[in-house]
């Protein structure tokens, strides 16, 4: 899974905002997605984890954030 891969291999990925949105869509398929405006979207997965995609982060890169119910939040930044 994307989450396992990010935990193992670090949190940088190529593809920019387009790939960040594709990964978000793949992870959240079948979940209720909320469009928060400005490209920010959030969803809650069936297990209760939250997924957030944003076109810009404080570092300026598109980011996919995964907040599992337990364990550490993972942020994947896209080049």
């Amino acid at each position: 899974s994307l989450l396992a891969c990010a935990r193992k291999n670090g949190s940088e990925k190529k593809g920019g905002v387009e790939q960040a949105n594709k990964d978000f869509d793949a992870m959240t398929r079948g979940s209720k997605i909320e469009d928060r405006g400005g490209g920010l979207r959030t969803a809650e997965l069936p297990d209760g984890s939250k997924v957030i995609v944003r076109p810009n982060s404080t570092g300026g890169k598109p980011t996919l954030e995964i907040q599992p119910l337990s364990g550490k939040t993972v942020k994947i930044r896209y080049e």
Side-chain angles (χ1 to χ4, degrees):
S1 77
L2 185 61
L3 178 58
C5 184
R7 282 184 173 150
K8 186 174 131 190
N9 300 322
S11 55
E12 294 273 327
K13 200 170 173 188
K14 295 203 181 303
V17 71
E18 186 177 333
Q19 188 62 49
N21 279 299
K22 282 182 184 176
D23 289 346
F24 176 88
D25 291 340
M27 286 190 76
T28 60
R29 193 166 285 122
S31 298
K32 182 180 175 223
I33 296 169
E34 291 189 43
D35 187 341
R36 309 239 180 216
L40 178 70
R41 295 187 295 153
T42 62
E44 187 170 316
L45 302 181
D47 71 356
S49 298
K50 290 187 172 60
V51 183
I52 303 160
V53 66
R54 57 178 68 90
N56 293 299
S57 63
T58 49
K61 295 178 182 176
T63 301
L64 180 69
E65 183 174 325
I66 304 154
Q67 300 173 341
L69 275 181
S70 62
K72 195 172 139 190
T73 293
V74 174
K75 293 182 181 180
I76 303 166
R77 305 211 192 278
Y78 292 78
E79 298 285 339

